[in-house]
């Protein structure tokens, strides 16, 4: 009989998202902000070298994504980022928490963030 793994229950609101080392934030002209991802795995290095592909990927962020990434650099937890987003943008950011959770989910799927489980005080 198969046993289900007992997972540790974690509170996502107290976890701190951190950018991976290969991911940086770049401020472009006027209001454009980009997430710059270094292409470092084996296959990407081959395509860079032999097929003359770019060595970085630039992803343009909207103002909410750029604000969330800036808050991550200050090592804020998810709840603090959500509250700061609501204060900064007001009704325009609502619903702030579900929007932030979906953004973090996308970053996590692409392995551009890692989680620090220590609670900020």
């Amino acid at each position: 009989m198969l046993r289900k793994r007992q997972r540790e229950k974690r509170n996502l609101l107290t976890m701190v998202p951190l950018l991976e080392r290969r991911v940086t934030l770049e401020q472009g002209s006027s209001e454009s902000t980009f997430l710059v991802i270094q292409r470092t795995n084996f296959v990407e290095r081959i395509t860079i070298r032999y097929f003359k592909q770019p060595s970085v990927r630039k992803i343009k962020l909207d103002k909410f994504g750029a604000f969330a990434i800036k808050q991550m650099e200050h090592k804020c937890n998810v709840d603090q980022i959500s509250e700061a987003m609501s204060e900064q943008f007001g009704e325009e950011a609502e619903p702030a928490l579900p929007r932030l959770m979906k953004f973090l989910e996308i970053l996590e799927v692409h392995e551009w963030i890692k989680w620090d489980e220590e609670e900020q005080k």
Side-chain angles (χ1 to χ4, degrees):
M1 184 135 207
L2 297 175
R3 287 185 178 178
K4 285 188 176 180
R5 289 185 186 175
Q6 295 295 326
R7 285 192 176 179
E8 212 177 286
K9 291 189 179 184
R10 303 181 306 182
N11 186 357
L12 192 61
L13 293 177
T14 61
M15 294 176 67
V16 179
L18 301 171
L19 289 176
E20 288 285 337
R21 287 185 305 186
R22 62 188 177 99
V23 180
T24 57
L25 187 68
E26 180 181 289
Q27 186 69 34
S29 61
S30 66
E31 294 183 13
S32 59
T33 306
F34 296 94
L35 199 59
V36 180
I37 298 103
Q38 299 291 325
R39 299 176 68 197
T40 57
N41 74 25
F42 180 71
V43 174
E44 289 176 333
R45 285 186 284 150
I46 289 174
T47 62
I48 291 167
R49 184 172 184 173
Y50 296 108
F51 298 116
K52 308 297 185 216
Q53 296 290 317
S55 61
V56 295
R57 291 173 56 188
K58 283 189 172 184
I59 299 170
K60 188 174 181 179
L61 298 172
D62 64 349
K63 59 185 174 183
F64 303 117
F67 182 80
I69 296 289
K70 288 176 186 172
Q71 294 297 313
M72 284 183 215
E73 291 176 346
H74 297 293
K75 298 184 179 177
C76 297
N77 65 27
V78 175
D79 191 37
Q80 292 169 341
I81 295 171
S82 172
E83 289 173 4
M85 191 178 290
S86 293
E87 289 174 10
Q88 178 77 22
F89 299 108
E91 286 294 318
E92 189 178 4
E94 293 302 324
L97 188 58
R99 176 181 283 183
L100 177 62
M101 297 305 294
K102 186 63 177 176
F103 178 67
L104 292 174
E105 179 184 341
I106 292 168
L107 293 177
E108 185 179 25
V109 166
H110 290 291
E111 297 177 352
W112 295 336
I113 62 171
K114 57 186 173 184
W115 293 98
D116 185 13
E117 297 185 24
E118 295 179 13
E119 190 171 321
Q120 292 286 336
K121 294 185 180 185

